[in-house]
Amino acid sequence: MTAGALNMELHVAKRSSLSLEGEQEELNVSFQPTKKTFDILNRWKEVNTINADVPYPAEAIEHHDWYTISDELLKAEVFINEIHIDLYKYIVNGELPEGKTIRGIAGTQENQRLDDKTESN
């Protein structure tokens, strides 16, 4: 699920190798981050900066540990949606509901109420 969750490219290469048992094929699988991958990571960090309760695996990101990053994002989905139903969509797709701000949907309940008041004025 790593490639899909983070919009990464999946590279698979076959390589023949000789061994005592004869020729064998080895598969080399690697993940290549894309611009969309880094967009997701940037939005995720932005949300974490606004609301430190949103988990953000900084060390895994620093080390490009794509398995851990993907796992952390998927594990955090329910929690992130509890903060605001559109917050996870914003992180993974960049979709922001019309009239809403990042600070409003990512912030505390109080920030969300202030955002709603601003919207209605």
Side-chain angles (χ1 to χ4, degrees):
M1 192 61 181
T2 300
L6 295 172
N7 273 299
M8 300 180 78
E9 291 179 357
L10 179 65
H11 293 225
V12 179
K14 277 196 237 183
R15 191 179 98 180
S16 295
S17 64
L18 294 175
S19 67
L20 294 176
E21 293 88 33
E23 189 174 351
Q24 295 180 346
E25 282 190 350
E26 292 180 11
L27 287 181
N28 182 12
V29 178
S30 65
F31 297 105
Q32 182 66 41
T34 63
K35 181 185 178 314
K36 288 182 179 183
T37 304
F38 291 108
D39 290 345
I40 290 169
L41 298 179
N42 289 334
R43 287 190 296 268
W44 195 0
K45 182 173 184 153
E46 175 187 22
V47 167
N48 173 262
T49 301
I50 294 167
N51 186 339
D53 290 337
V54 174
Y56 178 75
E59 189 173 320
I61 291 169
E62 183 179 321
H63 292 100
H64 293 194
D65 181 351
W66 303 117
Y67 292 104
T68 300
I69 296 166
S70 176
D71 189 50
E72 290 298 317
L73 181 59
L74 294 173
K75 285 193 310 190
E77 181 178 3
V78 171
F79 176 76
I80 291 169
N81 279 328
E82 286 175 0
I83 295 171
H84 193 283
I85 193 66
D86 294 309
L87 188 54
Y88 187 81
K89 286 182 206 170
Y90 171 71
I91 292 170
V92 297
N93 298 323
E95 296 174 11
L96 189 60
E98 189 174 327
K100 296 288 184 181
T101 66
I102 302 304
R103 194 163 290 286
I105 68 170
T108 62
Q109 297 263 335
E110 182 60 27
N111 284 348
Q112 290 175 17
R113 281 192 292 277
L114 291 173
D115 195 48
D116 289 341
K117 281 184 183 178
T118 304
E119 212 176 90
S120 63
N121 289 336

